[in-house]
Amino acid sequence: MKSISEQIAERWKHLSKSLGQTKSEYRDEQMDNELVSSAKKAMEEKLEIARQKGRGGWWTEDCQTEQLKAMLDEHIAKGDMRDVMNIAAMIYYRESAGIGE
């Protein structure tokens, strides 16, 4: 089974060729939708890997948003953008929901 990254690379080969046939006013929307769809799949894939390793609890009171922000900086430096997206989303969700205020 291909990883999400491999699927994105494969899909991009076709998308990059077909974008020229898409009206210019729709290209950004098409690619934004592609981005969100692909990012969601990549995030889900990485979250599943983390759960299999026993990780979780970002949504609990035991988890501190400041701790997640420190982890975000670490993962930016490591370069795995799936971790970056997931941790940023965790922070966004916690702050939006008022978790741990």
Side-chain angles (χ1 to χ4, degrees):
M1 184 173 183
K2 292 182 182 177
S3 72
I4 300 302
S5 295
E6 292 169 329
Q7 291 175 34
I8 291 169
E10 204 170 89
R11 182 146 167 76
W12 175 245
K13 290 176 188 175
H14 302 289
L15 275 172
S16 62
K17 293 175 185 173
S18 68
L19 280 172
Q21 299 168 3
T22 303
K23 289 185 178 183
S24 60
E25 62 264 29
Y26 301 119
R27 287 183 197 146
D28 283 333
E29 181 180 3
Q30 179 181 352
M31 288 310 301
D32 288 350
N33 291 336
E34 176 67 22
L35 171 67
V36 170
S37 176
S38 297
K40 179 184 182 290
K41 292 174 188 171
M43 292 170 73
E44 288 172 336
E45 178 182 72
K46 189 65 179 206
L47 287 168
E48 173 63 23
I49 292 167
R51 282 193 306 275
Q52 289 174 0
K53 292 179 180 178
R55 296 188 189 126
W58 62 267
W59 49 272
T60 66
E61 294 288 336
D62 292 337
C63 180
Q64 301 298 311
T65 301
E66 291 306 313
Q67 179 186 13
L68 288 172
K69 288 180 179 179
M71 287 175 60
L72 179 62
D73 289 338
E74 292 170 18
H75 283 85
I76 288 170
K78 288 181 183 178
D80 186 338
M81 293 302 116
R82 297 174 305 167
D83 284 332
V84 172
M85 289 187 295
N86 281 328
I87 295 168
M90 292 170 190
I91 294 166
Y92 174 78
Y93 190 97
R94 289 179 62 85
E95 289 180 346
S96 295
I99 299 171
E101 289 185 341

